[in-house]
Amino acid sequence: MLFNKVVGQTKVKSDIIAMALANKVPHALLFLGPEGSGGLATALAFSQYLLCDTPTEQDSCGTCSSCQKAAKLIHPDLHFVFPVMGRNVVSDHFLPQWREAMQNPYLSSYDWLRSISGDKGSAQGNINKEECVSIVKKLSLKSFENKRKILLLWLPEYLQKEGNRLLKIIEEPPANTHFILVAENQELILNTILSRCQMIKFKPLSSEEIVQGLQDLALAQGPSAQSIGQYAFGNFNEAIKLAANQQKNNGSQFLDWLRKCYKGNGAELVTWSEQMAGWKKTDQKHFFSFGLHFLREYIMIKVTNQDSKRLGESENKTARKLLNIIGFQEIESLIEVFNTCSFELERNANPRLLFLDASIQLKEILRKESVKVNSQWQLANP
């Protein structure tokens, strides 16, 4: 992977290239950043840069034999470790699936584990004892083609106590051996591993960087890219999913849901819940993600009394109608509902019951007895 294909993170890319050009690459690096911020994509690009025969001051050449092999994830001196599922299995058993999955190097651990589990059951992965033994064995051998050997370990959070088996080789690796660890949650990493790595932090991507990335990759253009960039919340993985599901208009669906909840027709709510249960889980999560985005912009409208540039015309119009209905206490309740729904979806809750329960809760919040606006609220009518 080339650096120019990595979305955003300009300073990080500049810093690690300078590090390589000065021949001051630490033996152990930890890329730490939230999901979708580009840590794994940057690690792939940096690995290719370190193995490149003729790197420039901006990027690897992309044409030498080493670059071509690294780009295909088949370079013999580039090793991968990642969470897997099952007993007595290691990452090498899943390399074909890994290479296919790296078409999206911004994917989440949930996406990865569900893909190798056949989308069945709960996706619980780990990096086990057998993997750690395999790492030590691999790195004790001489390099095959390059003067360097690189081990890219995605999500050291899954090592747990088994990570102690790697402490010695991380602290005193063989000559020209580099560890690149890519993590999302510092609190779940062993302190003994953290102390042996030089940390490089990744910030969430800006809306502008996400928009540019979507346009560069021809995933979305114009207003569509702008809209996705605003409520991907710095996560390019979410942006990719949203771009792939543009046919689902979350804005109109969400507003329609609010109207149905306000009217409170039980039969309509049951029918709507059945329809939503038929959506893919990723689409269901995006629906609640949009709800949180709408509430965030609604707060800005309520405070500034100005339309949001991050909402469409119909969404701004609905937000205006809500100003006398939903106060900050109700906003807090709605946020709790949406967050809880997202949490339960991750844990395979029954979607029919989940959406119906959420609808009933919204009905109670929107039609709170303490709120009186004339005798009817305009939101009940599109």
Side-chain angles (χ1 to χ4, degrees), residues 39-304:
L40 180 55
T42 305
L44 291 171
F46 192 43
S47 298
Q48 180 170 321
Y49 188 83
L50 292 176
L51 294 171
C52 179
D53 296 333
T54 55
T56 70
E57 293 184 358
Q58 289 79 36
D59 216 329
S60 49
C61 72
T63 57
C64 68
S65 174
S66 293
C67 278
Q68 292 179 10
K69 291 178 181 179
K72 296 177 182 177
L73 311 184
I74 58 173
H75 197 292
D77 297 314
L78 176 58
H79 307 283
F80 298 100
V81 173
F82 38 79
V84 296
M85 302 177 67
R87 299 180 61 184
N88 303 319
V89 295
V90 296
S91 300
D92 285 353
H93 296 153
F94 293 93
L95 282 177
Q97 295 95 320
W98 174 254
R99 292 179 181 121
E100 182 178 354
M102 284 304 97
Q103 294 179 43
N104 172 20
Y106 296 88
L107 83 170
S108 68
S109 59
Y110 179 84
D111 295 335
W112 163 245
L113 291 171
R114 293 290 286 184
S115 72
I116 63 174
S117 69
D119 203 36
K120 297 178 180 178
S122 59
Q124 300 295 327
N126 70 335
I127 299 176
N128 56 31
K129 176 182 70 176
E130 290 77 14
E131 187 79 77
C132 295
V133 172
S134 176
I135 290 171
V136 174
K137 182 178 179 180
K138 286 178 183 177
L139 298 185
S140 65
L141 301 174
K142 292 183 178 180
S143 57
F144 289 88
E145 296 181 4
N146 199 280
K147 65 178 181 179
R148 286 188 167 106
K149 287 179 293 183
I150 300 171
L151 184 121
L152 197 164
L153 195 161
W154 184 48
L155 299 177
E157 298 94 317
Y158 284 82
L159 276 167
Q160 300 180 1
K161 293 183 179 180
E162 296 299 340
N164 288 315
R165 298 174 182 271
L166 302 177
L167 297 182
K168 182 173 177 59
I169 196 168
I170 292 178
E171 186 171 17
E172 299 177 3
N176 296 317
T177 299
H178 300 283
F179 284 84
I180 304 177
L181 282 64
V182 182
E184 296 173 359
N185 191 335
Q186 182 176 345
E187 295 180 358
L188 298 180
I189 306 173
L190 292 173
N191 288 328
T192 46
I193 289 181
L194 287 173
S195 65
R196 288 165 169 78
C197 299
Q198 179 172 325
M199 186 183 299
I200 295 179
K201 292 189 175 182
F202 286 66
K203 296 180 180 179
L205 296 172
S206 67
S207 298
E208 293 75 17
E209 288 172 329
I210 289 178
V211 171
Q212 188 62 53
L214 290 171
Q215 293 175 340
D216 290 344
L217 296 173
L219 297 174
Q221 301 293 333
S224 178
Q226 294 287 339
S227 177
I228 293 171
Q230 296 299 341
Y231 62 89
F233 299 106
N235 185 335
F236 199 68
N237 185 46
E238 284 299 304
I240 291 172
K241 292 178 181 178
L242 290 167
N245 291 278
Q246 291 181 66
Q247 70 275 17
K248 289 225 170 19
N249 189 332
N250 283 322
S252 62
Q253 292 279 359
F254 180 75
L255 299 186
D256 182 56
W257 184 37
L258 289 183
R259 295 184 185 104
K260 283 181 168 60
C261 291
Y262 180 77
K263 288 192 291 186
N265 185 299
E268 280 192 353
L269 294 180
V270 170
T271 301
W272 182 87
S273 299
E274 291 285 341
Q275 292 174 346
M276 290 297 294
W279 284 21
K280 293 181 180 179
K281 182 179 291 187
T282 52
D283 297 336
Q284 294 168 348
K285 289 169 58 182
H286 291 152
F287 179 80
F288 288 115
S289 176
F290 177 83
L292 292 170
H293 164 69
F294 178 86
L295 291 178
R296 183 182 66 176
E297 297 308 308
Y298 172 77
I299 292 172
M300 296 300 297
I301 295 171
K302 195 172 182 67
V303 172
T304 65

Side-chain angles (χ1 to χ4, degrees), residues 294-362:
F294 178 86
L295 291 178
R296 183 182 66 176
E297 297 308 308
Y298 172 77
I299 292 172
M300 296 300 297
I301 295 171
K302 195 172 182 67
V303 172
T304 65
N305 198 31
Q306 295 180 354
D307 283 355
S308 170
K309 295 180 180 179
R310 301 181 177 185
L311 294 176
E313 182 179 351
S314 63
E315 294 149 12
N316 272 303
K317 183 178 179 181
T318 298
R320 287 282 180 186
K321 295 177 180 179
L322 284 166
L323 290 178
N324 293 325
I325 297 294
I326 298 182
F328 292 106
Q329 184 176 351
E330 288 74 31
I331 292 172
E332 184 178 353
S333 299
L334 291 171
I335 290 173
E336 183 178 355
V337 171
F338 298 159
N339 280 328
T340 299
C341 288
S342 296
F343 179 85
E344 295 298 339
L345 282 173
E346 288 281 8
R347 282 146 187 81
N348 300 316
N350 185 310
R352 290 177 177 82
L353 295 178
L354 183 143
F355 279 106
L356 182 57
D357 179 67
S359 299
I360 294 171
Q361 291 187 63
L362 258 67

